Amino acid sequence: MSNAPVTHIDPAAFRADPYPVLAQMRRDTPITYVPELNATLLTRREDIHREEKRIHVFSSVQPGGLMEKIMGLNMMRRDGNAHMSERRALFPALSPRTVADHWAPLFRKIVEQQLDALSPRNGCDLVTEYAMPVSGAALCAMTGLTNMTPAQMDRASQEMLDAVANYAADPDIDTKGFAQSAFVDTAIDARLIALRDAPDPSILSVLDRAGMSRDSIGANVKVIIGGGQNEPRDAIAGLLWALLSNRTQLEHLRSGRASFIDAFGEYARFVAPIQMTPRMIAQPDTVNGVSFETGDRVFLMYSSACRDEDVFVDADTFDVTRNTSAAIPFGAGPHFCAGAAAARTLVADYAVPMILERFPDLRLAGPVPFDGWAFRGPTSVPVTW
């Protein structure tokens, strides 16, 4: 392991709210080994922004790692030409043009249908009854897995991600993750038959037409299900919580002082839905006086980088007028999130502004708990209108 200074954490408290501990790490031990996670954490924005790009040292390749074990070898666990080859194959399905021309009209329809279903009521839980079905329906369409329901998509995403972040090696979590991985494989096999007869812009169809192997298609679709469901789901519900709990910020949007794109960027900085990325040391190296050995596990903590006091003034405050150009919630190097344009469009152009327009008196109706340190979002956002 690295010779970084050691910081112990309470795993339950860290999962409930990692930010106070991360702030202490940034101040006292910005590169620190955490025995409870068996990993060395990089917590300052400048270190993460720099080292993430040095893939010859901080490698995404992690043979036998949790993600590869659950999902298969995918582009997130490849570097260099191997990574770029699979990323190029995916690009036609998620390019800004494809998002604008093909997916955006579908996003609007999905949001309208969900709002129509909610309209006869006077309240709901934004996580389970709005953000989850909207995100799930969008992902079913984008992946091409239209033989899955939004609820099935959400469960597959959550239980595979739980297994990918199962650093405590809970066998129950592993069992559920493997079961969902197998469920997705069955859905992929059924849809590939239909898509070969009628190709479309979906991820599954695009990867198949690019000549990608069946194993690689499965692995990449699964990793997209992981980030592509929880990230927009948590951003939709979380951004609405942030706006409804601070009406001044909502008025900035309604007055035109800031845009919903600005608000999305600030929320992703404030509560990064994907809080970290794991790397493995590929060769011995030294960073800021800390020595790393081949095989060391490292976590690049995006959540901490996005609240770095050296970069952001009042970093623990949600402010839609903030310049978030230095924030890195989607990564900063060659692994920058391929679905960022789709998530931004779904959340900022449709899901959040349309519900605020449909229900102008939308308001919070109870406490809003958050959970997670590897992936983070609200578990419930009760509202009335």
Side-chain angles (χ1 to χ4, degrees):
M1 67 183 204
S2 75
N3 68 346
V6 174
T7 300
H8 287 280
I9 64 168
D10 175 341
F14 195 61
R15 177 169 183 156
D17 184 2
Y19 292 110
V21 175
L22 292 171
Q24 180 182 345
M25 290 176 180
R26 286 193 303 274
R27 183 183 67 244
D28 301 333
T29 53
I31 301 179
T32 185
Y33 177 74
V34 178
E36 292 79 9
L37 302 177
N38 188 26
T40 300
L41 278 56
L42 271 66
T43 61
R44 286 184 177 166
R45 189 265 181 196
E46 293 309 313
D47 291 340
I48 293 169
H49 187 262
R50 180 186 64 248
E51 302 305 330
E52 182 176 15
K53 300 169 187 174
R54 295 204 307 137
I55 58 175
H56 64 288
V57 176
F58 291 86
S59 176
S60 298
V61 179
Q62 299 169 30
L66 292 176
M67 180 177 283
E68 185 174 336
K69 184 173 72 170
I70 299 297
M71 297 177 170
L73 181 56
N74 57 72
M75 69 181 72
M76 289 292 291
R77 290 296 169 262
R78 297 183 188 272
D79 281 326
N81 291 335
H83 168 77
M84 290 309 301
S85 175
E86 294 194 348
R87 194 178 180 97
R88 281 193 295 269
L90 173 65
F91 182 76
L94 294 176
S95 72
R97 179 174 290 276
T98 303
V99 171
D101 293 347
H102 186 80
W103 300 124
L106 184 60
F107 293 165
R108 176 184 288 278
K109 182 178 179 181
I110 288 169
V111 172
E112 285 176 343
Q113 289 174 339
Q114 196 60 31
L115 291 174
D116 287 345
L118 292 174
S119 284
R121 302 167 53 179
N122 64 359
C124 74
D125 184 331
L126 287 177
V127 175
T128 58
E129 298 175 280
Y130 184 62
M132 184 277 282
V134 164
S135 181
L139 192 57
C140 286
M142 286 190 294
T143 57
L145 293 174
T146 52
N147 53 346
M148 290 176 64
T149 66
Q152 288 172 331
M153 185 64 75
D154 189 75
R155 182 180 178 187
S157 173
Q158 193 60 58
E159 294 189 358
M160 285 194 295
L161 285 181
D162 287 345
V164 166
N166 186 24
Y167 296 104
D170 184 325
D172 224 23
I173 292 175
D174 271 356
T175 297
K176 291 179 180 178
F178 280 118
Q180 289 303 317
S181 181
F183 179 81
V184 172
D185 274 326
T186 299
I188 287 173
D189 288 336
R191 284 293 293 146
L192 275 174
I193 295 170
L195 287 168
R196 284 167 181 164
D197 289 335
D200 65 17
S202 70
I203 292 164
L204 195 52
S205 183
V206 164
L207 294 182
D208 187 47
R209 295 201 307 276
M212 189 176 286
S213 72
R214 169 61 183 81
D215 285 347
S216 291
I217 289 174
N220 282 301
V221 168
K222 288 172 195 174
V223 80
I224 290 165
I225 287 173
Q229 172 65 6
N230 85 302
E231 185 178 303
R233 178 199 66 202
D234 294 348
I236 291 166
L239 176 53
L240 285 165
W241 158 78
L243 293 171
L244 295 175
S245 61
N246 190 332
R247 291 282 171 169
T248 299
Q249 301 301 311
L250 182 55
E251 287 308 313
H252 287 333
L253 301 183
R254 287 175 167 161
S255 69
R257 187 178 178 202
S259 69
F260 282 96
I261 293 292
D262 296 329
F264 173 81
E266 171 63 353
Y267 180 77
R269 180 205 67 83
F270 186 58
V271 185
I274 298 177
Q275 298 250 303
M276 70 88 169
T277 187
R279 295 293 175 92
M280 184 173 287
I281 298 299
Q283 63 184 51
D285 199 69
T286 300
V287 177
N288 296 356
V290 173
S291 297
F292 293 93
E293 299 297 330
T294 301
D296 286 351
R297 177 191 285 167
V298 175
F299 294 162
L300 305 180
M301 302 301 296
Y302 294 149
S303 54
S304 182
C306 287
R307 292 205 188 189
D308 190 331
E309 301 83 355
D310 290 341
V311 180
F312 303 103
V313 176
D314 294 327
D316 291 330
T317 300
F318 176 75
D319 179 2
V320 297
T321 66
R322 183 192 305 275
N323 181 347
T324 61
S325 60
I328 52 172
F330 299 108
H335 284 271
F336 180 84
C337 178
R344 187 181 298 111
T345 298
L346 176 62
V347 177
D349 289 348
Y350 299 104
V352 171
M354 286 175 66
I355 192 172
L356 291 170
E357 182 179 359
R358 179 74 70 97
F359 307 129
D361 59 342
L362 189 70
R363 59 196 180 275
L364 294 175
V368 177
F370 279 72
D371 183 67
W373 66 268
F375 308 95
R376 187 165 181 82
T379 57
S380 176
V381 182
V383 294
T384 59
W385 58 84

